[in-house]
Amino acid sequence: MKAVRLESIGSLVMRSIEKPVARSGELLVRVAAAGICGSDRHMFKGEYPTAIPVTMGHEFCGIVEEVGENVTRFTGGELVTVDPNISCGICPGCAQGRPNLCESLTAIGVTRDGGFAEYAAVPHQQAFILPADLDPVHGAFCEPLACCIHAIDKAQIRPGDGVAILGGGVIGLLMVQLARLAGASRVILITRQQSRRQVALRLGATHAFDPSSSDPVASVREVTKGGADVVIECAGVAETLQSGLRMARRGGTFVLFGVTPAGVEVPVLPFDLLVNEVDIRPAYLNPFTHSRAAAMVASKTLELDALVTKTIGLEQIADVVGSAPLSGEIKVIVQP
Ligand code: NAP
């Protein structure tokens, strides 16, 4: 079968490799759609630890083609979405019910072969059934959506709240929709590209600001009459961390979601955070949220087609992952 393999840092190559088999406890999934994620670009550049060599692709769905021994939940033929994050179940993080903090976390498409291939073998516990008639492209959104749902759980948005979201990539645009569904009355997206601000306004944002043309902190404070109840940082850059913390109202919540490169220090004003009791809540990965993401995608509540800007085959992955995102790009989907 064909698979796109990270063979060394900066070397992603399509190879013909042996088709995997479903071993005991596993499913063999014929990949129908896979999303390219910003983390794939980080892995390609060596900025995020991976196994090498490895078939990349951690956001995917497909059809169960083979069922291994000791699997009773599947018979074959089901459309499934795969939660890539595999926790050990016994370390202190897992014992506290926080599998995203597992000491031995492994991930499909990161530390074991993933979905940028015709087939992937996955532990059956990681698979969640989707409706057979669902567009697989929508199924590929379950993984990023599951992470966003964890962040929205942490945000505890109340009906009528004002929510500011920084960064209008696929994550920010999913958060816009989730914040609206959670009952926010004002949803403000801060992002530089005009095309993304327009998409956000179509998807339910009430306001969209360009941080390079006006002061986004002043704009958010004006719209929310004193500061956002909830701020969700989805860009992972120093500037949005700093401005986002200043957008929260006194007693407001700041959800840290964007991945800032390891080792980067960001100066903040602890005195202001203290006297305003800004509640900083990091949200990492998808603890117990993948099945809810699958249910949400199945319910067709979200507008996902507007987020797909390109569909490619396996042979084009290396070019896309090896280059910076194009202007206007939101989500690139691979259909092997
Ligand atoms: P993305 O496509 O890179 O989107 C982030 C966007 O932020 C950029 O495209 C950019 O859009 C915007 N941005 C950059 N600098 C900005 C600035 N100064 N002010 C306002 N906006 C700015 O990434 P994504 O896939 O949507 O993911 C968003 C973040 O979430 C990433 O850091 C990703 O690694 C992280 N993430 C975290 C988790 C988790 O579990 N915590 C899970 C998945 C992803 P413009 O060019 O329009 O400004």
Side-chain angles (χ1 to χ4, degrees), residues 38-39 42 147 166-172 190-193 196 211 234-237 239-240 257-259 283-285:
S39 315
H42 288 302
C147 296
L166 296 108
V170 69
I171 294 291
I190 295 107
T191 204
R192 296 164 304 182
Q193 294 180 52
R196 289 161 166 203
C234 306
V237 295
E239 199 182 336
T240 49
F257 190 86
V259 178
Y284 180 53
L285 300 179

Side-chain angles (χ1 to χ4, degrees), residues 105-184:
L105 198 67
T106 56
I108 300 165
V110 181
T111 57
R112 58 179 275 171
D113 289 344
F116 290 165
E118 291 174 277
Y119 295 90
V122 304
H124 75 95
Q125 300 91 332
Q126 303 302 124
F128 298 84
I129 296 175
L130 292 167
D133 62 350
L134 187 89
D135 181 350
V137 171
H138 295 180
F141 278 89
C142 291
E143 197 279 341
L145 179 63
C147 296
C148 294
I149 290 175
H150 178 48
I152 293 290
D153 286 349
K154 287 235 163 169
Q156 293 186 318
I157 295 167
R158 299 160 311 161
D161 271 354
V163 177
I165 295 163
L166 296 108
V170 69
I171 294 291
L173 293 168
L174 287 171
M175 295 287 196
V176 162
Q177 299 185 62
L178 292 171
R180 251 345 253 266
L181 289 169

Side-chain angles (χ1 to χ4, degrees), residues 65-279:
E65 191 162 293
E66 255 176 54
V67 179
E69 280 177 29
N70 302 312
V71 178
T72 52
R73 284 195 306 134
F74 298 88
T75 53
E78 298 92 343
L79 178 67
V80 293
T81 162
V82 176
D83 173 0
N85 298 309
I86 306 173
S87 52
C88 74
I90 51 172
C91 73
C94 288
Q96 288 162 23
R98 302 179 75 176
N100 53 332
L101 306 186
C102 174
E103 280 175 2
S104 320
L105 198 67
T106 56
I108 300 165
V110 181
T111 57
R112 58 179 275 171
D113 289 344
F116 290 165
E118 291 174 277
Y119 295 90
V122 304
H124 75 95
Q125 300 91 332
Q126 303 302 124
F128 298 84
I129 296 175
L130 292 167
D133 62 350
L134 187 89
D135 181 350
V137 171
H138 295 180
F141 278 89
C142 291
E143 197 279 341
L145 179 63
C147 296
C148 294
I149 290 175
H150 178 48
I152 293 290
D153 286 349
K154 287 235 163 169
Q156 293 186 318
I157 295 167
R158 299 160 311 161
D161 271 354
V163 177
I165 295 163
L166 296 108
V170 69
I171 294 291
L173 293 168
L174 287 171
M175 295 287 196
V176 162
Q177 299 185 62
L178 292 171
R180 251 345 253 266
L181 289 169
S185 60
R186 282 141 303 159
V187 176
I188 307 153
L189 180 76
I190 295 107
T191 204
R192 296 164 304 182
Q193 294 180 52
Q194 190 192 16
S195 58
R196 289 161 166 203
R197 296 197 298 277
Q198 285 168 341
V199 172
L201 291 168
R202 284 206 302 277
L203 296 179
T206 54
H207 302 77
F209 296 126
D210 176 3
S212 52
S213 69
S214 61
D215 175 7
V217 179
S219 304
V220 168
R221 289 194 162 274
E222 192 184 322
V223 168
T224 55
K225 309 210 177 337
D229 300 289
V230 173
V231 177
I232 310 178
E233 198 286 324
C234 306
V237 295
E239 199 182 336
T240 49
L241 274 159
Q242 290 175 309
S243 60
L245 283 167
R246 289 167 47 229
M247 283 171 195
R249 67 161 166 79
R250 301 196 75 188
T253 297
F254 176 91
V255 178
L256 175 61
F257 190 86
V259 178
T260 314
V264 168
E265 290 187 21
V266 180
V268 296
L269 300 172
F271 180 84
D272 292 9
L273 296 174
L274 174 72
V275 299
N276 292 315
E277 284 206 341
V278 175
D279 193 350

